[in-house]
Amino acid sequence: MSEHNDTIDALSNESRTFAPPATFAAAAHINDGALHAEAEADLEAFWARQARELITWQQPWGSVLEWDLPYARWFVGGKLNVAENCLDRHVAAGFGSKVAIHWEGEPGDTRTITYADLLDEVQRFANVLRSLGVAKGDRVNIYLPMIPEAAVAMLACARIGAAHSVVFGGFSAQSLIDRINDAEAKVLITADGGYRRGEVFPLKPAADEALAHTPTIDHVVVVRRGGNDVAMTKGRDHWYHELMAEADPVCAPEAMDAEDLLFLLYTSGTTGKPKGIMHTTGGYLTHVAYTHRNVFDLHRDRDVYWCTADVGWITGHSYIVYGPLANGATQVMYEGVPNYPGNDRFWEIVAKYGVTIFYTAPTAIRTFMKWGADEPAKHDLSSLRLLGTVGEPINPEAWMWYHHNIGGGRCPIVDTWWQTETGGIMISPLPGLTVTKPGSATFALPGVNIEVVDDNAQPVEHGGGYLTLTRPWPGMLRGIWGDPERFVDTYWSRFQGRYFAGDGARLDDDGYLWLLGRVDDVMNVSGHRISTTEVESALVSHPAVAEAAVVGANDATTGQAIFAYVTLRGGQDVDVATLRDHVATEIGAIAKPKAIFFTPDLPKTRSGKIMRRLLRDVAEGRNLGDTTTLADASVVDELQRRAAETPSED
Ligand code: WTA
């Protein structure tokens, strides 16, 4: 864990504390220790109560939990439908005219979608999917911008019992191919294009490129958003609006088993191939509804909630679509970037809709810091009462800036730790109860059991170690699609009988948890997980490249930045810009290395293993320690010289 020493030192100096404001605490769902006590007394009974109170079941479950390590089954025998929980029951309870989504397009166009509207659209689209041959148990791929149809498509799949696999719109055609083929999806839902930084970015052309290599896709549904010209293949491609105009308005929700697959979401691991994380129905919905209600202290009669994530990531799944809608929340959904047309767009939106709960990523906060406090100061942000962060550790300065300049010094901040694999939030303050420290995610939520352990799996009471989960939880992943062995290897083999998250963590003297970032070869760039191997494979797939090593180096804005060291094949030449574009084509623009260094050799141990720690030291401009295990120490001198000379690109 030596690479984390700097972070540990920086964080251990933090001594400020922030108690929940008395008025906030008084009105909060959770403001005493009863929930913790309940969960500690009987974990299964605790989760059963959440499932009963927050979720509507078509048929009750038999047993709460069957735990056959590493496989958990929650609410066994229970039947429910996720779309029914997110829509029908709210409409039936008289909330049909309540706004579900205040949608704001980047150019400034808006849509106001009530729960009744959303239910209508989801039923129609569910019938559309059926008419295209999608049946219970099938997989559907979704490749859309941040438009309401993304939520509609996900909920329509849930309604008929098909699993969705959403691919972030910023991913390349190649990434889409890999994900469609791994899931053997039957239908792809995409758009002509979407708006980003004032321009239309085309999606359908990338989808077309992918579709030449995806034999399982029978039909493509195209939402018109960008207005850009697209080619439509007769018989295969259909316009969303045309199909919807013809669709039957009523579609009864399928009775799904609690353990039926709800969705796959692909995420980077330590090898090049993304993992299809499997989430099921009853436990997942219980977990996201419980955490969304209590971590964000959602009061659905008065809150306007806004999560700035993209639906293509797990945060968008759990805290834009499933958690908020299950809880009947009113939320804002925004299509574009935070700096169009000006650097104050987010704050304009907060003021316009009277947002009360705002959830974003530390990398965004650091960017706002760069743009200056004048930007939020232009707008009335007094509606805000709670702020949240997710995706990476938040440094105390960014926390304090957020607290003062966005929260006006009055809003609790919930720093939420979780993963694609955990399905929902695991570690976070409860805003009406927990005394926070800037930079600490504080404690495990009631119902979540965490232990920081050392290399020998011994619990650590003070200081650093590895973050593990000791008991199953309802939202946990149920496996990796098509690869049970990798599921066991990745999460369950490092520490016997425990889930290993891949993160380092430290416990301070008061028992607060400080997350320290990944301890494996996964980088965290702007809150997005990208594996070093994935970028290395992309680089090596270029004909001029012989070998590549990639590391994540600390970066003041994006958390980590991708640094690549590349050795070219004899007689070949290629420039940095071409290689960066090549990575964007292979994976997506988010995986473009910030800097690429050409080197005649990579530093390797005598057994041939690339010494990443050393490359990270070079990238972060640190003095190198012991290099005696290196096969050829002169390589490193050369790299350091080049690093000092080469400007990195943005
Ligand atoms: C990191 C995003 C520190 C962590 C929901 C984890 C965090 C990975 C935090 C999961 C946080 C997420 N503090 N680190 N509050 N939240 N992480 O799957 O390294 O995209 O393992 O899920 O993000 O990323 P993922």
Side-chain angles (χ1 to χ4, degrees):
M1 301 257 311
S2 58
E3 65 261 41
H4 296 299
N5 281 344
D6 295 350
T7 334
I8 293 176
D9 289 345
L11 294 177
S12 58
N13 294 330
E14 185 53 60
S15 57
R16 290 165 289 202
T17 57
F18 294 84
T23 45
F24 187 103
H29 291 310
I30 310 294
N31 47 22
D32 62 28
L35 206 62
H36 277 108
E38 183 189 345
E40 270 155 36
D42 187 339
L43 186 74
E44 290 184 24
F46 167 83
W47 281 113
R49 183 172 75 83
Q50 298 303 330
R52 230 175 11 249
E53 291 180 4
L54 297 172
I55 304 303
T56 301
W57 297 80
Q58 297 175 352
Q59 181 184 300
W61 58 85
S63 57
V64 177
L65 171 66
E66 285 174 9
W67 178 222
D68 181 11
L69 193 137
Y71 292 100
R73 290 157 53 78
W74 282 89
F75 311 118
V76 183
K79 292 208 184 293
L80 73 161
N81 185 281
V82 167
E84 182 182 13
N85 271 277
C86 290
L87 303 170
D88 306 59
R89 63 172 176 158
H90 304 318
V91 175
F95 296 108
S97 58
K98 185 181 200 292
V99 175
I101 299 174
H102 289 292
W103 181 76
E104 170 103 359
E106 194 188 69
D109 52 333
T110 61
R111 283 165 67 183
T112 307
I113 300 166
T114 64
Y115 274 94
D117 296 337
L118 198 54
L119 173 58
D120 179 66
E121 189 145 339
V122 167
Q123 294 198 75
R124 284 175 197 273
F125 195 59
N127 284 324
V128 165
L129 289 176
R130 278 201 175 134
S131 74
L132 297 177
V134 179
K136 188 169 170 171
D138 287 342
R139 271 85 52 214
V140 170
N141 245 138
I142 299 177
Y143 186 55
L144 284 172
M146 278 291 287
I147 54 178
E149 286 79 2
V152 170
M154 291 162 76
L155 290 162
C157 288
R159 194 165 190 90
I160 62 173
H164 55 70
S165 164
V166 182
V167 177
F168 171 56
F171 275 130
S172 66
Q174 186 57 50
S175 297
L176 185 59
I177 293 172
D178 297 342
R179 286 158 175 76
I180 289 176
N181 288 341
D182 190 70
E184 298 178 287
K186 264 187 159 171
V187 165
L188 172 67
I189 303 160
T190 186
D192 50 359
Y195 285 88
R196 207 177 158 72
R197 215 160 271 124
E199 280 168 26
V200 171
F201 70 93
L203 271 175
K204 180 64 165 50
D208 283 334
E209 222 184 301
L211 287 159
H213 308 280
T214 55
T216 57
I217 296 283
D218 298 327
H219 292 282
V220 180
V221 182
V222 186
V223 180
R224 183 175 275 160
R225 168 59 189 158
N228 47 316
D229 276 342
V230 295
M232 297 289 279
T233 300
K234 219 175 148 53
R236 185 195 72 184
D237 299 354
H238 318 268
W239 285 107
Y240 179 91
H241 58 271
E242 288 177 2
L243 295 175
M244 289 292 274
E246 304 283 302
D248 194 330
V250 180
C251 174
E254 278 282 345
M256 300 302 290
D257 192 274
E259 282 297 336
D260 278 338
L261 187 67
L262 178 63
F263 65 83
L264 298 177
L265 185 60
Y266 285 80
T267 188
S268 295
T270 49
T271 72
K273 190 173 178 278
K275 307 173 279 199
I277 302 300
M278 296 165 67
H279 281 293
T280 58
T281 301
Y284 172 80
L285 195 66
T286 302
H287 188 161
V288 297
Y290 159 73
T291 47
H292 181 260
R293 179 178 193 274
N294 295 312
V295 171
F296 298 110
D297 188 45
L298 181 87
H299 292 262
R300 71 168 169 196
D301 50 336
R302 50 181 194 273
D303 277 319
V304 178
Y305 164 87
W306 182 20
C307 165
T308 68
D310 190 283
V311 284
W313 308 110
I314 190 67
T315 307
H317 284 57
S318 300
Y319 299 108
I320 293 176
V321 180
Y322 294 117
L325 295 177
N327 288 335
T330 292
Q331 70 178 315
V332 170
M333 180 178 185
Y334 171 57
E335 177 183 36
V337 296
N339 55 345
Y340 183 84
N343 289 349
D344 61 339
R345 183 63 181 275
F346 273 16
W347 319 125
E348 183 192 313
I349 293 173
V350 167
K352 176 174 175 183
Y353 296 101
V355 170
T356 60
I357 304 168
F358 179 73
Y359 190 32
T360 196
T363 184
I365 298 166
R366 291 190 294 265
T367 303
F368 302 143
M369 286 171 76
K370 275 205 285 201
W371 292 342
D374 292 351
E375 299 294 344
K378 289 178 191 161
H379 300 277
D380 176 6
L381 305 182
S382 61
S383 57
L384 289 170
R385 64 180 199 91
L386 178 66
L387 304 175
T389 70
V390 59
E392 51 181 316
I394 181 164
N395 42 313
E397 308 86 80
W399 196 102
M400 291 304 299
W401 189 93
Y402 197 35
H403 176 68
H404 285 302
N405 296 290
I406 308 302
R410 72 183 175 277
C411 304
I413 297 179
V414 288
D415 171 358
T416 64
W417 180 92
W418 57 294
Q419 308 180 294
T420 304
E421 292 86 344
T422 68
I425 297 170
M426 304 293 277
I427 304 174
S428 169
L430 288 166
L433 177 66
T434 311
V435 174
T436 55
K437 297 186 184 186
S440 166
T442 72
F443 308 106
L445 290 177
V448 171
N449 292 273
I450 268 174
E451 253 173 26
V452 177
V453 297
D454 65 16
D455 278 309
N456 303 317
Q458 293 310 305
V460 167
E461 270 161 35
H462 299 279
Y466 303 97
L467 187 69
T468 66
L469 296 163
T470 58
R471 303 278 299 271
W473 66 100
M476 69 194 284
L477 78 166
R478 300 302 198 264
I480 295 175
W481 183 252
D483 204 344
E485 224 168 283
R486 194 175 176 195
F487 173 58
V488 174
D489 285 354
T490 309
Y491 307 106
W492 304 96
S493 55
R494 175 73 179 79
F495 299 106
Q496 190 70 38
R498 297 162 182 269
Y499 172 90
F500 174 43
D503 280 36
R506 175 184 165 271
L507 281 165
D508 73 12
D509 294 343
D510 304 322
Y512 280 65
L513 276 161
W514 299 78
L515 277 309
L516 302 174
R518 307 285 311 180
V519 296
D520 56 13
D521 289 333
V522 177
M523 300 173 285
N524 189 327
V525 181
S526 298
H528 301 315
R529 281 162 64 174
I530 300 166
S531 86
T532 53
T533 327
E534 216 174 341
V535 180
E536 284 166 4
S537 324
L539 286 165
V540 174
S541 74
H542 189 283
V545 175
E547 202 175 20
V550 166
V551 295
N554 288 334
D555 183 276
T557 305
T558 58
Q560 284 190 309
I562 304 176
F563 278 56
Y565 300 85
V566 169
T567 307
L568 296 179
R569 287 174 194 263
Q572 297 281 332
D573 201 15
V574 63
D575 59 24
V576 167
T578 307
L579 281 186
R580 293 178 78 234
D581 288 346
H582 180 71
V583 174
T585 311
E586 289 293 306
I587 307 172
I590 48 163
K592 270 191 188 181
K594 179 169 179 186
I596 296 180
F597 304 101
F598 293 109
T599 164
D601 271 307
L602 291 169
K604 290 189 186 149
T605 60
R606 288 180 188 134
S607 64
K609 209 168 174 291
I610 293 173
M611 295 186 73
R612 287 171 198 289
R613 184 186 52 79
L614 233 145
L615 289 173
R616 214 160 20 229
D617 287 345
V618 173
E620 292 174 353
R622 261 195 303 280
N623 268 341
L624 303 177
D626 184 12
T627 54
T628 48
T629 50
L630 265 178
D632 176 5
S634 69
V635 175
V636 176
D637 298 339
E638 180 61 16
L639 278 176
Q640 278 190 307
R641 199 180 56 71
R642 286 171 198 233
E645 282 169 4
T646 317
S648 63
E649 305 192 18
D650 283 325

